[in-house]
Amino acid sequence: YKAAMSTLSNDDKQEVGRWANNRVENSHLPFRRRERAMLRFRQMKGLQKFASVHANVYNHFSRARHLIDRKTYKTARSAALA
């Protein structure tokens, strides 16, 4: 608030503008994506069961494709599928 900032003499540190809050909102996007996916489950038990299985499978098959070359990626993918 402008009055509180002027009382504290922090007028120059206050970010005011059209897109000032955008950085804060974008930092919450991953959380909101998970939260939206959880809304589909009616009971917590079903969500917990799905999340435990999904985490294991995702960690097993998900590779950092942008960090490794194609040959290594294909070898790791074949091993995971086997």
Side-chain angles (χ1 to χ4, degrees):
Y1 298 109
K2 189 170 177 90
M5 292 298 276
S6 62
T7 304
L8 297 170
S9 66
N10 285 338
D11 292 336
D12 56 334
K13 294 181 182 176
Q14 185 179 16
E15 291 185 28
V16 191
R18 186 173 180 184
W19 311 110
N21 197 29
N22 201 23
R23 187 173 63 230
V24 175
E25 288 298 324
N26 283 334
S27 69
H28 290 96
L29 285 179
F31 176 75
R32 291 194 176 165
R33 192 176 302 126
R34 286 192 305 262
E35 191 178 51
R36 196 170 33 249
M38 288 182 210
L39 290 176
R40 289 180 235 155
F41 293 92
R42 293 179 187 263
Q43 297 176 350
M44 184 59 78
K45 186 177 179 182
L47 171 62
Q48 288 172 338
K49 197 181 295 184
F50 172 77
S52 66
V53 172
H54 181 267
N56 291 336
V57 171
Y58 183 80
N59 289 336
H60 186 68
F61 286 103
S62 178
R63 301 283 177 213
R65 178 66 187 99
H66 63 287
L67 298 175
I68 56 177
D69 62 350
R70 181 173 175 77
K71 186 176 178 183
T72 308
Y73 176 74
K74 294 291 256 179
T75 306
R77 221 23 216 173
S78 298
L81 287 172

